[in-house]
Amino acid sequence: MAEKKTPSKRKKPASSGKKPAAKAAAAKRVPKPGKETEKAAPMGGAPAPEAPFPALPAADLETLETISRNVMQSALKSQKLMADMMRRSLEGDPTLSPQADPLHASPELAKTWENVLGDPELLLQAQSDLYRGYLDLWAGATKKMMGEDAPPVIEPEKGDKRWRSAEWTEHPMFDAMRQSYLLNQRFLLNLVNNAKGIDEETRRKVNFVTRQMIDAMSPTNFALTNPDVLKATFESKGENLSRGLMNLVNDLERGNGRLALTQTDMEGFEVGKDLAATPGDVIYRNAVMELIQYAPATDTVRQRPILIAPPWINKFYIMDMRPQGSLIRWLTQQGFTVFLISWVNPDQSMKDATFEDYIRQGLFEALECVEQATGERQVDAIGYCIGGTMLGSALALMAAENDDRIASATFFAAQLDFSLAGELLVFIDEEWFKEIGRLMDAQGGVLDGRTMADTFNMLRANDLVWSFVINNYLLGKTPQAFDLLYWNADQTRMPKTLHLYYLEKFYKNNALSKGEMELGGHRLDLKKVKIPVFMQASKEDHIAPADSVYRSARLFGGKTQYMMAGSGHIAGVVNHPDANKYQHWINEALPESREEWLKGAKEHPGSWWPHWKAWLLSMNDAQVPARKPGGGKLKPLCPAPGEYVKVRS
C-alpha cells in the first residue's frame, strides 16, 4: 500500500502565480483599468478635488521605469550640455563671456536694500501686510481642501497669462502656490518701490532687476511645480523632457553657445511672399537704403505723395504684414502714392556710418528720388519709432537750412523728448555703454540682432522669454508659425557709431529736446519747425510711453495734433479699420499736461487710421492719374520688398 503524502508547508516560489510584494502594493494603491473607484469625500461630504494630472493606468512599473529612464537621460545630457557651454566660454569668445551682473545693478541694489533695512516703519508695514496675506491664504486654502469655495487673497495683474491653466485656480495645492508667489512678489516690489532716499534712476533699475528675478522664480517655470508640465511628463512618460532638452541644444547650437530662444517657426514665412507682399518696385538703392515705390490700387491718386521712414532697429514690414492688416496696402487702397525707405541690414563695413549719414543718404536722398519719380517737390513724411526720432531731427535741420520739401510730418510711437522714455532707460548708464561698446568691438563694429532682440524680450520677459522656455524646453513642443513673432525675431544689426550716438544724444542726454544737439554745423531747434504735425501715441506703449510722446508733441513751433490709440507699441499703430479693434482718443487742443488733454479728449471706437486720413486730405486733396513705379525718371531695380529686407542677421 502506497504511503500517503502530506502537502509541503514550504513557501512556493514567486513563479507560482503569487504577485511579488512590490506589484501587490502597487495594485492596492492604484485602481485597475476599467474599474470605477469611489472617491473619498472629505469632511462635510463634498467631493475630493480633481487630480492635476491623470492617474497612471494600473501604475505598471514599466511606465514608472520609462519615466525614470527618460528623466535620467535628460539629466545626463544636461550635464554634457553645461560642460560644452563652459568649454565654449573658456575658449575666449568675447561675446560669450559670462556676466554675473549684465546690467551692473549691484551698487543700486545694495543701496536700495540698505535703505529698506534702515527703515523700520516700511519693514513693519510690509511684513504685516505679508503676514496678514498668508493668514488669509491659509484660511482660504483650508476651506478649499474641505471642498468649500474661498475667494482669492490676491489676483495676478491684468494680462498675466502664466496662470491660464484651470489647475492654478481649481486645485487647492496649485492655487495656494500661485497666491503665495503673488504675495511674495507684492511684498518685494512694495519694499523696492517705497524705499526712501532713492533717486528715480536707481529705483527704475532696481525695480526692473527685481522683476526679472521674481519672474524667473515663478512656479510656472519649473517642471515639478507646473501642472501642465506634470501632466505632459506622465502622459508622455517623460519624453517631453527629452524633446525639450534637444530643443535647448538646438537653440544653443544656433546661437553658437548663446541661447537663441526659438519663438516661432522661422521657415514658416517668406518675406515678399507671405509677408511684405504689397506690389511695388525698388526704384533707388544706395549704401544705407533702398527706396520702394508701391503700385497704385486706384485709378487716381492724391497729388502729394507719402514717404515713410521706418525704424532701422527692425524690418519695415511690420507695416506690411498680412494683406488684411497691412498699413501700406491700406494707404494705396485709399488713393495715396506711397514711398518707403527700406534700411540696409548693416555689416562690419558700415561700422562708421553716422546718424547724419542716415538723414542725408536716407531721408534726403529719398526726397530727391520722390521728386524725380513724381515731379512733386513736397511730401507728407511719416516716421515710426526711431525713424520718427530721425525725422524730427531732420525737420529741425531742414528748418535751419531753409529746406521745405516736407509739407507735414506724422509720427508713429516716436519720441523726441526722452526724459520719460520708459523702461529702456534702465539700459542707459556708463557701465552699460562700455558693455555695448565691448560687444560691438568684438563683432567687428556692429551690434548683432540677437543682442537687440534679447534687450526687447527682457522688457516683457514672461511673454517673450519664460513662456517659450516652458513651451519649448519643459513641454517639449515646437513653436508654431506666427507672423508677428517671426518679424520680432527677424532683427537687424546696428552700426557702432550710429548706435552709440543715438543712445548718448537721445536716451542719455536728451539733447534734441534741450536744444543742445548739432548736425551739419547747425544747432537744432524744434520750435523752428512750423509745418503741421500729427503725433500718434499708444496708451499701453512701454517703448515710447504716451506721456513721453505727449512731451515730444509740445516741442514743435507749429500746429500739432496729439492722438492716443489703445493697445501698445505695435498693435496701437498697426490697427486696420476692418479689424474693429481697440479705440482712440482725440482732442484738438494741446494743453500743458497729458492729464489735462485726457480730460478734454473724446473716445472713439476702432482704428484711428480714417481720422488720420482725413487730417492728411484736409491739407491737400488734389487728385492726379495713378502713378506706376518706373513711370518717372527712376526705373525699377527689382520688385518690392527689395533685397535689403531679406538679409538676416
mmCIF file of all heavy atoms in Angstrom, residues 4 22 68 105 117 130 190-191 230 278 301 336 384 396 398 416 431 439 442 490 501 516 518 594 627 630:
data_model
loop_
_atom_site.group_PDB
_atom_site.id
_atom_site.type_symbol
_atom_site.label_atom_id
_atom_site.label_comp_id
_atom_site.label_asym_id
_atom_site.label_seq_id
_atom_site.Cartn_x
_atom_site.Cartn_y
_atom_site.Cartn_z
ATOM 1 N N LYS A 4 0.832 7.570 2.109
ATOM 2 C CA LYS A 4 0.112 8.840 1.841
ATOM 3 C C LYS A 4 1.013 10.035 2.137
ATOM 4 O O LYS A 4 1.574 10.149 3.200
ATOM 5 C CB LYS A 4 -1.149 8.911 2.717
ATOM 6 C CG LYS A 4 -2.040 10.077 2.371
ATOM 7 C CD LYS A 4 -3.322 10.041 3.201
ATOM 8 C CE LYS A 4 -4.215 11.184 2.823
ATOM 9 N NZ LYS A 4 -5.446 11.224 3.611
ATOM 10 N N ALA A 22 6.140 44.135 -4.320
ATOM 11 C CA ALA A 22 6.080 45.476 -4.912
ATOM 12 C C ALA A 22 4.867 45.621 -5.807
ATOM 13 O O ALA A 22 4.143 46.616 -5.771
ATOM 14 C CB ALA A 22 7.357 45.765 -5.698
ATOM 15 N N SER A 68 11.375 57.299 -15.343
ATOM 16 C CA SER A 68 12.659 57.450 -14.645
ATOM 17 C C SER A 68 13.823 57.439 -15.625
ATOM 18 O O SER A 68 14.766 58.238 -15.514
ATOM 19 C CB SER A 68 12.826 56.328 -13.618
ATOM 20 O OG SER A 68 11.806 56.378 -12.660
ATOM 21 N N ALA A 105 23.900 96.388 -11.896
ATOM 22 C CA ALA A 105 22.940 96.948 -10.941
ATOM 23 C C ALA A 105 23.301 96.664 -9.494
ATOM 24 O O ALA A 105 22.565 97.069 -8.596
ATOM 25 C CB ALA A 105 21.538 96.400 -11.233
ATOM 26 N N LEU A 117 16.309 98.261 4.779
ATOM 27 C CA LEU A 117 16.584 97.667 6.088
ATOM 28 C C LEU A 117 16.756 98.723 7.172
ATOM 29 O O LEU A 117 16.615 98.428 8.363
ATOM 30 C CB LEU A 117 17.840 96.790 6.006
ATOM 31 C CG LEU A 117 17.709 95.562 5.090
ATOM 32 C CD1 LEU A 117 19.043 94.839 4.963
ATOM 33 C CD2 LEU A 117 16.637 94.612 5.612
ATOM 34 N N LEU A 130 2.283 91.164 4.521
ATOM 35 C CA LEU A 130 2.604 89.813 4.066
ATOM 36 C C LEU A 130 2.025 88.772 5.025
ATOM 37 O O LEU A 130 1.444 87.769 4.599
ATOM 38 C CB LEU A 130 4.116 89.642 3.946
ATOM 39 C CG LEU A 130 4.615 88.283 3.448
ATOM 40 C CD1 LEU A 130 4.169 88.049 2.005
ATOM 41 C CD2 LEU A 130 6.143 88.192 3.552
ATOM 42 N N ASN A 190 6.838 96.167 -3.269
ATOM 43 C CA ASN A 190 6.449 97.272 -2.387
ATOM 44 C C ASN A 190 7.651 97.813 -1.615
ATOM 45 O O ASN A 190 7.785 99.030 -1.425
ATOM 46 C CB ASN A 190 5.367 96.810 -1.413
ATOM 47 C CG ASN A 190 3.998 96.773 -2.054
ATOM 48 O OD1 ASN A 190 3.798 97.319 -3.140
ATOM 49 N ND2 ASN A 190 3.041 96.128 -1.407
ATOM 50 N N LEU A 191 8.528 96.932 -1.150
ATOM 51 C CA LEU A 191 9.730 97.382 -0.444
ATOM 52 C C LEU A 191 10.608 98.222 -1.354
ATOM 53 O O LEU A 191 11.091 99.294 -0.974
ATOM 54 C CB LEU A 191 10.517 96.174 0.076
ATOM 55 C CG LEU A 191 9.927 95.436 1.288
ATOM 56 C CD1 LEU A 191 10.766 94.213 1.612
ATOM 57 C CD2 LEU A 191 9.859 96.360 2.511
ATOM 58 N N LEU A 230 3.700 68.638 -15.449
ATOM 59 C CA LEU A 230 3.485 67.354 -14.778
ATOM 60 C C LEU A 230 2.564 66.452 -15.603
ATOM 61 O O LEU A 230 2.820 65.257 -15.761
ATOM 62 C CB LEU A 230 2.896 67.584 -13.388
ATOM 63 C CG LEU A 230 3.852 68.188 -12.346
ATOM 64 C CD1 LEU A 230 3.078 68.547 -11.089
ATOM 65 C CD2 LEU A 230 4.977 67.222 -12.017
ATOM 66 N N THR A 278 2.876 93.617 -50.588
ATOM 67 C CA THR A 278 2.194 94.669 -51.339
ATOM 68 C C THR A 278 2.980 94.965 -52.614
ATOM 69 O O THR A 278 4.195 95.184 -52.554
ATOM 70 C CB THR A 278 2.043 95.943 -50.494
ATOM 71 O OG1 THR A 278 1.277 95.641 -49.324
ATOM 72 C CG2 THR A 278 1.335 97.034 -51.275
ATOM 73 N N VAL A 301 -4.878 109.187 -57.834
ATOM 74 C CA VAL A 301 -4.210 109.217 -56.532
ATOM 75 C C VAL A 301 -4.078 110.659 -56.068
ATOM 76 O O VAL A 301 -4.147 111.598 -56.863
ATOM 77 C CB VAL A 301 -2.807 108.574 -56.594
ATOM 78 C CG1 VAL A 301 -2.890 107.081 -56.884
ATOM 79 C CG2 VAL A 301 -1.928 109.274 -57.622
ATOM 80 N N PHE A 336 -3.417 106.892 -52.091
ATOM 81 C CA PHE A 336 -2.163 107.604 -51.843
ATOM 82 C C PHE A 336 -1.025 106.965 -52.644
ATOM 83 O O PHE A 336 -0.993 105.740 -52.829
ATOM 84 C CB PHE A 336 -1.795 107.558 -50.354
ATOM 85 C CG PHE A 336 -2.721 108.352 -49.475
ATOM 86 C CD1 PHE A 336 -3.773 107.737 -48.806
ATOM 87 C CD2 PHE A 336 -2.551 109.721 -49.310
ATOM 88 C CE1 PHE A 336 -4.629 108.454 -47.989
ATOM 89 C CE2 PHE A 336 -3.402 110.456 -48.488
ATOM 90 C CZ PHE A 336 -4.444 109.824 -47.836
ATOM 91 N N TYR A 384 8.322 106.255 -37.934
ATOM 92 C CA TYR A 384 7.856 105.267 -36.946
ATOM 93 C C TYR A 384 8.993 104.990 -35.965
ATOM 94 O O TYR A 384 10.100 104.660 -36.363
ATOM 95 C CB TYR A 384 7.439 103.999 -37.670
ATOM 96 C CG TYR A 384 6.707 102.952 -36.849
ATOM 97 C CD1 TYR A 384 6.128 101.856 -37.461
ATOM 98 C CD2 TYR A 384 6.566 103.047 -35.467
ATOM 99 C CE1 TYR A 384 5.441 100.877 -36.738
ATOM 100 C CE2 TYR A 384 5.887 102.093 -34.735
ATOM 101 C CZ TYR A 384 5.330 101.004 -35.381
ATOM 102 O OH TYR A 384 4.657 100.044 -34.642
ATOM 103 N N ALA A 396 14.264 119.650 -37.900
ATOM 104 C CA ALA A 396 14.973 120.780 -37.291
ATOM 105 C C ALA A 396 16.163 121.187 -38.153
ATOM 106 O O ALA A 396 16.451 122.389 -38.305
ATOM 107 C CB ALA A 396 15.433 120.404 -35.889
ATOM 108 N N MET A 398 16.367 120.749 -41.439
ATOM 109 C CA MET A 398 15.795 121.365 -42.642
ATOM 110 C C MET A 398 15.335 122.792 -42.363
ATOM 111 O O MET A 398 15.477 123.679 -43.213
ATOM 112 C CB MET A 398 14.629 120.514 -43.150
ATOM 113 C CG MET A 398 15.052 119.136 -43.651
ATOM 114 S SD MET A 398 13.666 118.032 -44.026
ATOM 115 C CE MET A 398 13.153 118.689 -45.619
ATOM 116 N N LEU A 416 10.837 112.442 -29.141
ATOM 117 C CA LEU A 416 11.832 113.484 -29.370
ATOM 118 C C LEU A 416 12.331 114.035 -28.036
ATOM 119 O O LEU A 416 13.438 114.530 -27.940
ATOM 120 C CB LEU A 416 11.235 114.609 -30.223
ATOM 121 C CG LEU A 416 10.689 114.148 -31.584
ATOM 122 C CD1 LEU A 416 9.908 115.269 -32.256
ATOM 123 C CD2 LEU A 416 11.806 113.654 -32.481
ATOM 124 N N GLU A 431 28.278 102.110 -17.424
ATOM 125 C CA GLU A 431 28.700 100.708 -17.450
ATOM 126 C C GLU A 431 28.047 99.966 -18.613
ATOM 127 O O GLU A 431 28.690 99.148 -19.272
ATOM 128 C CB GLU A 431 28.342 100.027 -16.118
ATOM 129 C CG GLU A 431 29.128 100.544 -14.922
ATOM 130 C CD GLU A 431 30.624 100.323 -15.103
ATOM 131 O OE1 GLU A 431 31.011 99.300 -15.690
ATOM 132 O OE2 GLU A 431 31.399 101.183 -14.676
ATOM 133 N N LEU A 439 30.869 94.680 -26.824
ATOM 134 C CA LEU A 439 30.219 93.698 -27.685
ATOM 135 C C LEU A 439 30.357 94.074 -29.158
ATOM 136 O O LEU A 439 30.637 93.212 -30.005
ATOM 137 C CB LEU A 439 28.742 93.582 -27.318
ATOM 138 C CG LEU A 439 28.403 92.785 -26.060
ATOM 139 C CD1 LEU A 439 26.920 92.925 -25.721
ATOM 140 C CD2 LEU A 439 28.755 91.317 -26.247
ATOM 141 N N ALA A 442 33.821 93.441 -30.387
ATOM 142 C CA ALA A 442 34.048 92.001 -30.547
ATOM 143 C C ALA A 442 33.400 91.469 -31.813
ATOM 144 O O ALA A 442 33.839 90.457 -32.363
ATOM 145 C CB ALA A 442 33.504 91.259 -29.327
ATOM 146 N N ASP A 490 13.228 88.587 -36.555
ATOM 147 C CA ASP A 490 13.979 88.960 -37.753
ATOM 148 C C ASP A 490 14.651 90.319 -37.520
ATOM 149 O O ASP A 490 14.337 91.314 -38.171
ATOM 150 C CB ASP A 490 13.034 89.010 -38.950
ATOM 151 C CG ASP A 490 13.771 89.142 -40.282
ATOM 152 O OD1 ASP A 490 15.003 88.956 -40.294
ATOM 153 O OD2 ASP A 490 13.107 89.431 -41.292
ATOM 154 N N TYR A 501 25.818 106.916 -30.807
ATOM 155 C CA TYR A 501 25.371 108.314 -30.925
ATOM 156 C C TYR A 501 23.903 108.430 -30.523
ATOM 157 O O TYR A 501 23.520 109.327 -29.754
ATOM 158 C CB TYR A 501 25.568 108.792 -32.362
ATOM 159 C CG TYR A 501 25.152 110.222 -32.610
ATOM 160 C CD1 TYR A 501 26.080 111.268 -32.496
ATOM 161 C CD2 TYR A 501 23.844 110.546 -32.970
ATOM 162 C CE1 TYR A 501 25.695 112.585 -32.737
ATOM 163 C CE2 TYR A 501 23.460 111.852 -33.209
ATOM 164 C CZ TYR A 501 24.393 112.873 -33.090
ATOM 165 O OH TYR A 501 24.009 114.178 -33.323
ATOM 166 N N GLU A 516 20.303 121.205 -27.518
ATOM 167 C CA GLU A 516 21.762 121.078 -27.389
ATOM 168 C C GLU A 516 22.383 120.198 -28.471
ATOM 169 O O GLU A 516 23.587 119.937 -28.435
ATOM 170 C CB GLU A 516 22.098 120.487 -26.013
ATOM 171 C CG GLU A 516 21.655 121.355 -24.845
ATOM 172 C CD GLU A 516 21.831 120.668 -23.505
ATOM 173 O OE1 GLU A 516 22.214 119.466 -23.501
ATOM 174 O OE2 GLU A 516 21.590 121.310 -22.466
ATOM 175 N N GLU A 518 23.606 119.200 -32.327
ATOM 176 C CA GLU A 518 24.108 119.845 -33.533
ATOM 177 C C GLU A 518 24.254 118.831 -34.659
ATOM 178 O O GLU A 518 24.709 117.711 -34.446
ATOM 179 C CB GLU A 518 25.458 120.523 -33.272
ATOM 180 C CG GLU A 518 25.372 121.721 -32.333
ATOM 181 C CD GLU A 518 26.697 122.471 -32.214
ATOM 182 O OE1 GLU A 518 27.638 122.090 -32.970
ATOM 183 O OE2 GLU A 518 26.791 123.399 -31.408
ATOM 184 N N ARG A 594 -0.591 115.960 -20.262
ATOM 185 C CA ARG A 594 -1.457 114.954 -20.876
ATOM 186 C C ARG A 594 -2.683 114.699 -20.011
ATOM 187 O O ARG A 594 -3.751 114.321 -20.521
ATOM 188 C CB ARG A 594 -0.685 113.655 -21.105
ATOM 189 C CG ARG A 594 -1.424 112.665 -22.024
ATOM 190 C CD ARG A 594 -0.554 111.477 -22.366
ATOM 191 N NE ARG A 594 -0.402 110.576 -21.246
ATOM 192 C CZ ARG A 594 -1.148 109.492 -21.039
ATOM 193 N NH1 ARG A 594 -2.109 109.180 -21.895
ATOM 194 N NH2 ARG A 594 -0.933 108.715 -20.002
ATOM 195 N N ARG A 627 0.041 106.818 -60.487
ATOM 196 C CA ARG A 627 1.456 106.750 -60.883
ATOM 197 C C ARG A 627 1.963 105.326 -60.687
ATOM 198 O O ARG A 627 1.896 104.784 -59.587
ATOM 199 C CB ARG A 627 2.294 107.693 -60.032
ATOM 200 C CG ARG A 627 1.776 109.126 -59.953
ATOM 201 C CD ARG A 627 2.549 109.855 -58.862
ATOM 202 N NE ARG A 627 2.266 111.269 -58.811
ATOM 203 C CZ ARG A 627 1.757 111.902 -57.750
ATOM 204 N NH1 ARG A 627 1.453 111.216 -56.660
ATOM 205 N NH2 ARG A 627 1.558 113.211 -57.776
ATOM 206 N N GLY A 630 8.327 103.439 -61.776
ATOM 207 C CA GLY A 630 9.082 103.474 -63.021
ATOM 208 C C GLY A 630 8.497 104.422 -64.044
ATOM 209 O O GLY A 630 9.068 104.601 -65.126
#
